[in-house]
Each structure stands twice: as C-alpha cells, then as structure tokens.
Amino acid sequence: MKKKIIGEILFAVASGVLLLSLFLHGRLDYAPLPKIIKHEKKVEKSCDTIKALIFYHAADYLVYHGQVIGFQYEMIKQMGKDLKKTVEISIEADPDKMMNTVFTDEYDIIGFDFDKNFFSPMYLTLSEPHSFSYPIILMRKNMVFDSTGTHIVHTPSKYNQKLDFQNLEMPNTWRQQEHTDMTEEDLIEMLEDTLIDYVVCNHNVAITLLPFYKDLVMGPRIGPDFPRTWVLNPKNISLNDSINDWLTHVKETKFYEKMCLRYFSQHSQIIHNSFGQKRNNISTYDKCIQKASEHYGLDWRFVSSIIYQESHFCTDVLGIGGSYGIMQMMPVTYERYGLTDTSTVEEQIWGGVKYIKFLYNIFVNKVDTSDIYYFVAGSYNSGPGHILDAITLCKKYEGDYEHWESVKEYLLLKSHKDYYSDPDVKCGYYPGKHTVNYVQEVMDRYNGYKLTKKE
C-alpha cells in the first residue's frame, strides 16, 4: 500500500513538473490539445496542388511594379514548377492567426518564423531551412550612447529569437521590452519619431525596411544565426520528402544564389527601387479609381489589380479581339457602357468599374462572399457565362460550388467533351487554364495591395 501511495505521489509530482516546464516555455497558449493531437495521425495525402500560407512582411511578399514577388513567395512558386505542381499562396499579416493556423491541416506549407523550442518539434513537422538570419539592433544615425542609464531594446509582437547583449557596450545595462500588439514597422516608425531609441529586427527584414527610413541605421548583431524553416503538413509524407529534397538541392543552384542577392543583400536594386517608394500610389489614376469604386461599392485595390492585369495602366493598348484602353473592354461591352475610342481615361475607368459591378451582382447571391472577387476576376477574363457553367457543373457533381477552389476545377474541365457537351452547359467549350492563372495573379496582387494600401 505504501509503495502504491508513493508511486501516485511521484506521478503527480512528475506531471506538475511537466506542466510547469511547458508553462515556462510559453507553449501552452499555442493551440488547444485536441488540435495538437490531431497531427499525430499521419495519413498519406496525394494532391497536385500545394497550398501555402506566408506571413506578410517586406522580404517575403511584396508588390513591385505590379508584380507579386518576395523571397518565400518566389521560392515556393519555383518549387511548385520544379515539382510540377500547382501552387496556391495565401498571405496573413496577423501573427496570432498564423500561430493558430500552424496547428491545423489547412495548408501544406506555412512560412512563419517562431520559437522552435523543445515543445514545438514534438508536434510540428519542420522543413529543411530555406534560409538563415540573425537579430540586430536598429537605431537612429549619429545617436549618442548614454552611459548613465538603462537601454531598452523594443521587440515586436511574437518576436522570439534569442538575444545576447554581451558584445554590446555596457551589456548589463540592456533590457528587452516586448510589444504584444506592434509589428516591426510600427516600432520602426516610433524609432524614427524619436519615441524610442532601439528596435530589435532580424537582419533579412532590416535590409528590406531600411530604405524607407533614411535617418536609421543597422546596429550591432545581438544574437546567433537561426534557421528559417517552413511548417509542413505531417500527413503529406511523400510531398514533404520532395519539399526537403528540393530545399537541399536548390541551395546549390544559380537560382538560389540570385534570390539571396535579390533579397538579402544591402545592394539589392529591387529593395532600393521598390521599398524606397513605399508611400507612392498604385498608379496615377488612384483617385479616379477610388472614387468610381466607392460609388459602386467595390474595393478600389481589387479594381486596380484588374486594371494592372489588363493594361499595366497603359491607356492606348489595343488587344486581341479589339479590346481597347486602360480597362481592355471588348467593343460590344464598350458600347454597352456608352464608351468609344475617343473616351477619356476617366470615362473608361468609370465604365469599366460599372461593368465590374455588373459582374459582381451576378454572383452576389450565388457564391460565398469571401470568394466573390475570384468569380468576378474570372468573369472579367472569360465572360460570366463560362464561370456560371463551371458553377453548374460543380453543383451537379456535388462539389463546393460556392467557392472558387472547387469551381475552378470544372472551369478547367470545360475543355473536355464530356463536360462542355453536357446538356446543362450553356456556353460550350472553353480552355480554362488561362483564366485560372489570370484569377490567381489578380488575387495575389490584390492581396498585396490590401496589405500595403489603405482601403
């Protein structure tokens, strides 16, 4: 009996120690236990599409001259091409939402830098490193070091890399202060406004942000190198092996060397030419696009993405089939909205936005509101008839006809006789691959505009 009591006491003590350890390492708030346990069941998943989620910050995702680029964005796109898989990339700017997503099966790849302590590897499948970075201090130029006081380095929300002040002047006077509701850019703005004196930032992020702030300078390194990895879906055993093999071999290629020079070098032309223009408009027609979009209840950044896709904001483009002008509307549509080849650019924009609203109204009660711009973009490219046919086919075959992810598969199938000759299909044959790519490019750019331009 005594042995049994002693055993129960030891078990209780051990359990308490384990819980205390987890608490001290700050991991109990990462995800509910049922969600974590779900990852323990490893089931093989086969799919021709890679779904990726990237945390938004300057080095990994940006819109440059209308094109979506960024280190992780381009790496994942190139990987999809090399592995002969379709890639769908989503962006998230909220670190808390990223943390919640890490413990779900929603994505095949999640690009997010977070604390990889002893707890997380037990439940997460991490890729080979795609790059490395290290923490540095940002400060104002010509700052005079105060040898009499305490020096506070401010860190953004969810910053979790190990800091080491030993190589700094008077190391015992340095302290770290975390801001749970601020990003790097928020703190850097405060630094520039002289509200604070020191900000912690990873080297790769600092390189991309410094061109914005001419009065700031990169200070000393205050921590070791750390690997930047992707969180992989543990169910995708074969895919994960392919991803890791690709990461291992791509680092030996000219492509990877070019990517590092492009995004991690202080001499990068992309960094200096694009980030130095942070506060510029999307185009010279922003005010007109904003006014017309507001009038019709549309997001002007979506309209801007459509216009860039159609004409790159050029006003005298003549396209295949007679499409004309900044909105590249076809002659029959042009005439329907009272436009001619002598219409001003502003008139073209108003007519084009009105047409986009017309397309929007077609789908407003047919599809999920979170996906409606996908359907509108597809209709602007192909005409609404083919998109409605794809919805009909998706519904007929019991697919998720309210979401673009499912409907686009049937748009692609409209190039096969068994589908375009279906009696419920109204508009016949259509090669949907171009439209699917068009929609993805428009929405990628739109997501970039949403993160960098005010609504």
Side-chain angles (χ1 to χ4, degrees):
M1 178 65 71
K2 288 183 178 180
K3 289 183 178 180
K4 183 178 179 182
I5 294 173
I6 292 171
E8 290 175 348
I9 293 172
L10 290 175
F11 177 79
V13 170
S15 299
V17 170
L18 176 59
L19 289 172
L20 179 61
S21 298
L22 295 179
F23 177 79
L24 290 175
H25 280 79
R27 302 301 300 184
L28 288 180
D29 62 336
Y30 270 24
L33 190 58
K35 291 188 177 181
I36 297 175
I37 291 174
K38 186 168 59 174
H39 269 212
E40 295 179 352
K41 183 179 180 182
K42 295 190 176 183
V43 180
E44 186 67 27
K45 176 184 172 184
S46 176
C47 185
D48 290 331
T49 300
I50 296 175
K51 295 185 67 175
L53 179 68
I54 299 174
F55 183 59
Y56 173 76
H57 68 64
D60 289 328
Y61 184 95
L62 64 142
V63 180
Y64 175 63
H65 290 178
Q67 296 295 319
V68 179
I69 59 174
F71 178 77
Q72 290 202 57
Y73 180 85
E74 293 192 48
M75 285 282 285
I76 293 173
K77 284 285 189 181
Q78 183 64 41
M79 181 186 65
K81 186 182 299 183
D82 291 343
L83 298 183
K84 296 180 170 54
K85 292 182 178 290
T86 301
V87 171
E88 295 178 358
I89 298 178
S90 302
I91 306 299
E92 178 56 64
D94 185 334
D96 290 321
K97 290 182 180 178
M98 288 295 295
M99 288 306 310
N100 291 334
T101 307
V102 159
F103 292 100
T104 72
D105 297 328
E106 188 175 351
Y107 295 94
D108 302 305
I109 295 174
I110 297 177
F112 185 48
D113 296 329
F114 64 97
D115 188 14
K116 300 174 179 65
N117 60 29
F118 80 94
F119 183 78
S120 58
M122 295 168 59
Y123 301 101
L124 298 181
T125 301
L126 304 178
S127 73
E128 291 290 319
H130 57 71
S131 59
F132 290 82
S133 190
Y134 53 86
I136 59 95
I137 287 181
L138 289 181
M139 61 183 71
R140 289 184 298 280
K141 293 179 181 177
N142 304 318
M143 244 185 90
V144 177
F145 183 79
D146 179 7
S147 60
T148 63
T150 300
H151 305 91
I152 306 298
V153 289
H154 301 263
T155 59
S157 174
K158 295 294 187 292
Y159 189 85
N160 39 46
Q161 303 308 325
K162 182 179 179 181
L163 302 183
D164 183 359
F165 302 129
Q166 292 308 306
N167 293 325
L168 299 180
E169 187 174 353
M170 301 181 67
N172 293 331
T173 67
W174 292 85
R175 302 287 184 271
Q176 178 182 352
Q177 180 175 328
E178 181 181 358
H179 296 265
T180 58
D181 58 348
M182 291 190 178
T183 66
E184 286 110 332
E185 291 193 59
D186 293 331
L187 292 177
I188 293 171
E189 293 281 354
M190 292 177 65
L191 177 63
E192 187 178 51
D193 293 338
T194 71
L195 299 175
I196 56 179
D197 291 330
Y198 304 100
V199 171
V200 175
C201 189
N202 291 336
H203 179 258
N204 61 306
V205 177
I207 285 175
T208 58
L209 291 179
L210 277 180
F212 288 132
Y213 307 97
K214 301 303 181 183
D215 294 329
L216 305 185
V217 65
M218 195 182 302
R221 173 178 180 148
I222 56 168
D225 284 351
F226 63 87
R228 303 184 68 211
T229 59
W230 293 328
V231 180
L232 305 178
N233 188 331
K235 293 184 177 180
N236 301 340
I237 299 173
S238 295
L239 175 60
N240 293 345
D241 288 342
S242 298
I243 291 171
N244 284 322
D245 287 343
W246 183 84
L247 283 170
T248 298
H249 292 102
V250 76
K251 294 169 190 171
E252 302 171 0
T253 65
K254 290 288 185 182
F255 164 76
Y256 188 78
E257 181 181 345
K258 178 181 176 182
M259 292 289 290
C260 291
L261 288 173
R262 196 177 195 190
Y263 294 106
F264 302 146
S265 168
Q266 295 187 53
H267 305 292
S268 168
Q269 290 304 306
I270 280 188
I271 298 303
H272 286 277
N273 290 343
S274 62
F275 289 112
Q277 302 170 3
K278 176 183 179 183
R279 295 176 177 84
N280 282 2
N281 297 329
I282 293 176
S283 76
T284 57
Y285 305 104
D286 280 6
K287 289 185 179 180
C288 180
I289 296 170
Q290 289 168 345
K291 188 173 182 179
S293 300
E294 183 180 0
H295 178 81
Y296 287 108
L298 299 170
D299 189 328
W300 76 277
R301 298 164 298 185
F302 172 73
V303 173
S304 295
S305 186
I306 288 281
I307 296 175
Y308 179 89
Q309 190 75 18
E310 292 292 332
S311 67
H312 291 204
F313 298 104
C314 296
T315 60
D316 56 355
V317 179
L318 182 63
I320 297 173
S323 59
Y324 178 75
I326 194 170
M327 302 291 297
Q328 283 294 285
M329 294 165 70
M330 296 298 287
V332 62
T333 309
Y334 230 60
E335 294 172 5
R336 184 189 309 160
Y337 290 94
L339 300 172
T340 69
D341 56 6
T342 62
S343 296
T344 66
V345 176
E346 288 73 17
E347 289 170 338
Q348 293 176 36
I349 290 172
W350 274 86
V353 174
K354 186 176 182 180
Y355 176 56
I356 292 174
K357 181 62 174 181
F358 165 76
L359 298 174
Y360 185 96
N361 287 338
I362 290 175
F363 298 99
V364 72
N365 293 317
K366 290 183 173 65
V367 303
D368 190 280
T369 54
S370 64
D371 270 16
I372 192 166
Y373 280 140
Y374 285 87
F375 291 89
V376 174
S379 297
Y380 199 93
N381 181 249
S382 70
H386 293 297
I387 307 300
L388 289 170
D389 278 348
I391 291 176
T392 298
L393 288 169
C394 188
K395 188 173 184 178
K396 184 172 184 176
Y397 290 97
E398 299 182 351
D400 186 5
Y401 60 91
E402 292 187 346
H403 290 94
W404 178 253
E405 179 70 18
S406 298
V407 172
K408 74 175 186 182
E409 300 302 326
Y410 290 91
L411 185 64
L412 294 169
L413 288 170
K414 281 199 70 189
S415 61
H416 298 276
K417 186 175 181 180
D418 288 347
Y419 293 90
Y420 70 71
S421 62
D422 187 292
D424 293 324
V425 168
K426 307 299 181 184
C427 298
Y429 171 86
Y430 186 72
K433 186 175 181 180
H434 171 74
T435 296
V436 169
N437 291 338
Y438 175 100
V439 170
Q440 193 61 49
E441 290 175 12
V442 166
M443 295 305 293
D444 280 353
R445 186 181 304 107
Y446 170 48
N447 287 331
Y449 287 160
K450 284 197 295 182
L451 291 167
T452 56
K453 308 296 178 184
K454 292 182 179 180
E455 187 173 5

mmCIF file of all heavy atoms in Angstrom, residues 250-267:
data_model
loop_
_atom_site.group_PDB
_atom_site.id
_atom_site.type_symbol
_atom_site.label_atom_id
_atom_site.label_comp_id
_atom_site.label_asym_id
_atom_site.label_seq_id
_atom_site.Cartn_x
_atom_site.Cartn_y
_atom_site.Cartn_z
ATOM 1 N N VAL A 250 18.263 22.942 -54.069
ATOM 2 C CA VAL A 250 18.109 24.260 -54.676
ATOM 3 C C VAL A 250 19.182 25.224 -54.184
ATOM 4 O O VAL A 250 19.564 26.167 -54.895
ATOM 5 C CB VAL A 250 16.702 24.830 -54.403
ATOM 6 C CG1 VAL A 250 16.571 25.343 -52.970
ATOM 7 C CG2 VAL A 250 16.360 25.950 -55.395
ATOM 8 N N LYS A 251 19.692 24.983 -52.976
ATOM 9 C CA LYS A 251 20.714 25.879 -52.427
ATOM 10 C C LYS A 251 22.025 25.830 -53.210
ATOM 11 O O LYS A 251 22.891 26.692 -53.029
ATOM 12 C CB LYS A 251 20.969 25.546 -50.955
ATOM 13 C CG LYS A 251 19.760 25.841 -50.071
ATOM 14 C CD LYS A 251 19.946 25.260 -48.687
ATOM 15 C CE LYS A 251 18.640 25.340 -47.906
ATOM 16 N NZ LYS A 251 18.687 24.616 -46.641
ATOM 17 N N GLU A 252 22.176 24.832 -54.061
ATOM 18 C CA GLU A 252 23.381 24.705 -54.871
ATOM 19 C C GLU A 252 23.212 25.317 -56.261
ATOM 20 O O GLU A 252 24.104 25.228 -57.097
ATOM 21 C CB GLU A 252 23.754 23.223 -55.007
ATOM 22 C CG GLU A 252 23.976 22.536 -53.663
ATOM 23 C CD GLU A 252 24.134 21.034 -53.796
ATOM 24 O OE1 GLU A 252 24.066 20.537 -54.951
ATOM 25 O OE2 GLU A 252 24.330 20.365 -52.768
ATOM 26 N N THR A 253 22.062 25.930 -56.511
ATOM 27 C CA THR A 253 21.750 26.421 -57.849
ATOM 28 C C THR A 253 21.981 27.923 -57.982
ATOM 29 O O THR A 253 22.046 28.652 -56.995
ATOM 30 C CB THR A 253 20.281 26.127 -58.200
ATOM 31 O OG1 THR A 253 19.433 26.893 -57.316
ATOM 32 C CG2 THR A 253 19.964 24.645 -58.040
ATOM 33 N N LYS A 254 22.080 28.368 -59.229
ATOM 34 C CA LYS A 254 22.193 29.795 -59.526
ATOM 35 C C LYS A 254 20.925 30.531 -59.125
ATOM 36 O O LYS A 254 20.963 31.697 -58.745
ATOM 37 C CB LYS A 254 22.462 29.996 -61.021
ATOM 38 C CG LYS A 254 23.839 29.559 -61.478
ATOM 39 C CD LYS A 254 24.903 30.523 -60.964
ATOM 40 C CE LYS A 254 26.275 30.178 -61.493
ATOM 41 N NZ LYS A 254 27.333 31.081 -60.955
ATOM 42 N N PHE A 255 19.781 29.847 -59.232
ATOM 43 C CA PHE A 255 18.512 30.456 -58.836
ATOM 44 C C PHE A 255 18.562 30.907 -57.381
ATOM 45 O O PHE A 255 18.188 32.038 -57.046
ATOM 46 C CB PHE A 255 17.368 29.464 -59.035
ATOM 47 C CG PHE A 255 16.085 29.836 -58.319
ATOM 48 C CD1 PHE A 255 15.264 30.837 -58.814
ATOM 49 C CD2 PHE A 255 15.733 29.211 -57.127
ATOM 50 C CE1 PHE A 255 14.097 31.195 -58.144
ATOM 51 C CE2 PHE A 255 14.573 29.560 -56.455
ATOM 52 C CZ PHE A 255 13.759 30.554 -56.968
ATOM 53 N N TYR A 256 19.040 30.035 -56.491
ATOM 54 C CA TYR A 256 19.088 30.371 -55.067
ATOM 55 C C TYR A 256 20.089 31.484 -54.807
ATOM 56 O O TYR A 256 19.830 32.402 -54.010
ATOM 57 C CB TYR A 256 19.442 29.128 -54.252
ATOM 58 C CG TYR A 256 19.325 29.344 -52.765
ATOM 59 C CD1 TYR A 256 18.079 29.335 -52.146
ATOM 60 C CD2 TYR A 256 20.451 29.567 -51.980
ATOM 61 C CE1 TYR A 256 17.949 29.536 -50.779
ATOM 62 C CE2 TYR A 256 20.330 29.771 -50.609
ATOM 63 C CZ TYR A 256 19.081 29.762 -50.008
ATOM 64 O OH TYR A 256 18.960 29.973 -48.672
ATOM 65 N N GLU A 257 21.229 31.421 -55.484
ATOM 66 C CA GLU A 257 22.225 32.484 -55.329
ATOM 67 C C GLU A 257 21.640 33.837 -55.735
ATOM 68 O O GLU A 257 21.832 34.853 -55.062
ATOM 69 C CB GLU A 257 23.446 32.155 -56.191
ATOM 70 C CG GLU A 257 24.569 33.176 -56.105
ATOM 71 C CD GLU A 257 25.734 32.821 -56.998
ATOM 72 O OE1 GLU A 257 25.809 31.660 -57.458
ATOM 73 O OE2 GLU A 257 26.566 33.707 -57.260
ATOM 74 N N LYS A 258 20.887 33.823 -56.830
ATOM 75 C CA LYS A 258 20.238 35.052 -57.308
ATOM 76 C C LYS A 258 19.202 35.545 -56.301
ATOM 77 O O LYS A 258 19.085 36.752 -56.043
ATOM 78 C CB LYS A 258 19.576 34.774 -58.656
ATOM 79 C CG LYS A 258 18.829 35.946 -59.250
ATOM 80 C CD LYS A 258 18.191 35.547 -60.575
ATOM 81 C CE LYS A 258 17.344 36.683 -61.152
ATOM 82 N NZ LYS A 258 16.676 36.270 -62.414
ATOM 83 N N MET A 259 18.435 34.624 -55.694
ATOM 84 C CA MET A 259 17.414 35.007 -54.722
ATOM 85 C C MET A 259 18.044 35.671 -53.504
ATOM 86 O O MET A 259 17.533 36.670 -52.983
ATOM 87 C CB MET A 259 16.630 33.769 -54.295
ATOM 88 C CG MET A 259 15.765 33.188 -55.394
ATOM 89 S SD MET A 259 14.344 34.230 -55.765
ATOM 90 C CE MET A 259 13.404 33.988 -54.290
ATOM 91 N N CYS A 260 19.154 35.122 -53.035
ATOM 92 C CA CYS A 260 19.820 35.701 -51.865
ATOM 93 C C CYS A 260 20.364 37.087 -52.167
ATOM 94 O O CYS A 260 20.250 38.009 -51.349
ATOM 95 C CB CYS A 260 20.941 34.775 -51.397
ATOM 96 S SG CYS A 260 20.336 33.229 -50.671
ATOM 97 N N LEU A 261 20.925 37.253 -53.355
ATOM 98 C CA LEU A 261 21.414 38.573 -53.745
ATOM 99 C C LEU A 261 20.265 39.554 -53.901
ATOM 100 O O LEU A 261 20.378 40.736 -53.594
ATOM 101 C CB LEU A 261 22.204 38.469 -55.053
ATOM 102 C CG LEU A 261 23.571 37.792 -54.962
ATOM 103 C CD1 LEU A 261 24.164 37.593 -56.352
ATOM 104 C CD2 LEU A 261 24.521 38.621 -54.099
ATOM 105 N N ARG A 262 19.144 39.038 -54.370
ATOM 106 C CA ARG A 262 17.987 39.893 -54.658
ATOM 107 C C ARG A 262 17.338 40.413 -53.384
ATOM 108 O O ARG A 262 16.868 41.544 -53.341
ATOM 109 C CB ARG A 262 16.979 39.082 -55.481
ATOM 110 C CG ARG A 262 15.915 39.904 -56.172
ATOM 111 C CD ARG A 262 15.028 39.003 -57.002
ATOM 112 N NE ARG A 262 14.247 39.784 -57.942
ATOM 113 C CZ ARG A 262 13.246 39.282 -58.674
ATOM 114 N NH1 ARG A 262 12.927 38.023 -58.561
ATOM 115 N NH2 ARG A 262 12.589 40.056 -59.507
ATOM 116 N N TYR A 263 17.284 39.567 -52.354
ATOM 117 C CA TYR A 263 16.511 39.929 -51.165
ATOM 118 C C TYR A 263 17.327 40.118 -49.890
ATOM 119 O O TYR A 263 16.852 40.751 -48.947
ATOM 120 C CB TYR A 263 15.423 38.874 -50.908
ATOM 121 C CG TYR A 263 14.388 38.855 -51.988
ATOM 122 C CD1 TYR A 263 14.348 37.836 -52.927
ATOM 123 C CD2 TYR A 263 13.464 39.891 -52.107
ATOM 124 C CE1 TYR A 263 13.395 37.821 -53.943
ATOM 125 C CE2 TYR A 263 12.519 39.894 -53.119
ATOM 126 C CZ TYR A 263 12.491 38.857 -54.032
ATOM 127 O OH TYR A 263 11.558 38.858 -55.038
ATOM 128 N N PHE A 264 18.522 39.564 -49.822
ATOM 129 C CA PHE A 264 19.277 39.635 -48.574
ATOM 130 C C PHE A 264 20.547 40.461 -48.686
ATOM 131 O O PHE A 264 21.367 40.464 -47.776
ATOM 132 C CB PHE A 264 19.629 38.224 -48.089
ATOM 133 C CG PHE A 264 18.429 37.342 -47.871
ATOM 134 C CD1 PHE A 264 18.493 35.979 -48.111
ATOM 135 C CD2 PHE A 264 17.229 37.876 -47.441
ATOM 136 C CE1 PHE A 264 17.383 35.169 -47.915
ATOM 137 C CE2 PHE A 264 16.117 37.091 -47.243
ATOM 138 C CZ PHE A 264 16.193 35.727 -47.481
ATOM 139 N N SER A 265 20.717 41.156 -49.793
ATOM 140 C CA SER A 265 21.890 41.999 -49.968
ATOM 141 C C SER A 265 21.510 43.460 -49.803
ATOM 142 O O SER A 265 20.477 43.911 -50.322
ATOM 143 C CB SER A 265 22.503 41.786 -51.361
ATOM 144 O OG SER A 265 23.460 42.785 -51.639
ATOM 145 N N GLN A 266 22.356 44.225 -49.094
ATOM 146 C CA GLN A 266 22.083 45.654 -48.918
ATOM 147 C C GLN A 266 22.224 46.417 -50.229
ATOM 148 O O GLN A 266 21.836 47.578 -50.316
ATOM 149 C CB GLN A 266 23.032 46.230 -47.871
ATOM 150 C CG GLN A 266 22.810 45.654 -46.483
ATOM 151 C CD GLN A 266 23.629 46.346 -45.424
ATOM 152 O OE1 GLN A 266 23.585 47.570 -45.306
ATOM 153 N NE2 GLN A 266 24.371 45.571 -44.651
ATOM 154 N N HIS A 267 22.774 45.761 -51.248
ATOM 155 C CA HIS A 267 22.958 46.416 -52.547
ATOM 156 C C HIS A 267 21.875 46.019 -53.553
ATOM 157 O O HIS A 267 21.980 46.330 -54.738
ATOM 158 C CB HIS A 267 24.336 46.066 -53.108
ATOM 159 C CG HIS A 267 25.458 46.393 -52.177
ATOM 160 N ND1 HIS A 267 25.810 47.684 -51.843
ATOM 161 C CD2 HIS A 267 26.294 45.583 -51.477
ATOM 162 C CE1 HIS A 267 26.817 47.663 -50.991
ATOM 163 N NE2 HIS A 267 27.127 46.402 -50.749
#
